[in-house]
Amino acid sequence: MITTRRTAMALLLTGAMAAVNLPALAAIPDMSPATLTAEADLILTGRLVAVTTTRKVPEWVKRRDDISFFERGAFVDEVFTLAIEVGTVEKGSRGLAGKNIATHGWRAHGRPPGWAGPGGTIRDLPAEGTRIKVWLRREQDGWDLISPSGLVPAP
């Protein structure tokens, strides 16, 4: 009898979750500090001066033929630029100390129900004026946050 009740309760909860249409969320796990350090071209601590964001449908979604026009609107990325006043440099060019640099990143703003995949470089954007530590990779147009977990609050 107990097994029957448990089974019934499990089925009831599963049905309720399906009726409410709760998404199955999954993301890439954070990188270890050792991996971040090994992959970074620049590691620094500084103060976040400004944040600018835009939202757009990712380019990879636009190129896919198996995603309908109507489904594409469910895929939205928030692309951001962080202006950082460099304090200390742990790895990379020490000449950047005291200067301002810009770094780029993204995070998933919207996905269809049930979608699992990368969620971006960070989950939450810090407030302006916050002290942060970042692990950056040099790209053609500047510095990119290493994904995922390339930014943490600094003491």
Side-chain angles (χ1 to χ4, degrees):
M1 179 97 171
I2 293 174
T3 305
T4 306
R5 284 186 180 170
R6 285 185 184 160
T7 303
M9 184 58 81
L11 289 172
L12 179 64
L13 288 173
T14 303
M17 289 174 64
V20 176
N21 200 19
L22 292 175
L25 301 175
I28 296 173
D30 289 347
M31 296 172 111
S32 70
T35 303
L36 283 168
T37 300
E39 292 192 16
D41 297 320
L42 179 64
I43 303 171
L44 62 88
T45 302
R47 186 176 65 86
L48 183 58
V49 178
V51 178
T52 56
T53 62
T54 59
R55 292 185 181 152
K56 66 177 192 167
V57 174
E59 290 301 319
W60 66 269
V61 172
K62 294 176 185 176
R63 291 189 300 266
R64 298 255 316 246
D65 293 334
D66 61 332
I67 299 175
S68 76
F69 173 79
F70 298 105
E71 291 174 314
R72 290 179 190 192
F75 290 90
V76 179
D77 284 350
E78 185 173 56
V79 180
F80 56 85
T81 301
L82 307 177
I84 304 170
E85 182 183 312
V86 179
T88 59
V89 178
E90 190 176 312
K91 179 181 178 181
S93 175
R94 306 261 186 245
L96 291 173
K99 297 184 178 176
N100 284 3
I101 67 164
T103 184
H104 310 285
W106 71 278
R107 63 184 182 165
H109 178 73
R111 294 293 185 262
W115 177 262
T121 49
I122 59 174
R123 290 176 189 88
D124 299 311
L125 285 171
E128 292 178 5
T130 304
R131 284 187 36 80
I132 57 175
K133 180 174 182 177
V134 293
W135 289 261
L136 306 173
R137 185 176 291 128
R138 184 72 176 163
E139 297 296 334
Q140 298 148 341
D141 61 344
W143 296 101
D144 285 353
L145 286 167
I146 291 183
S147 179
S149 65
L151 181 149
V152 295

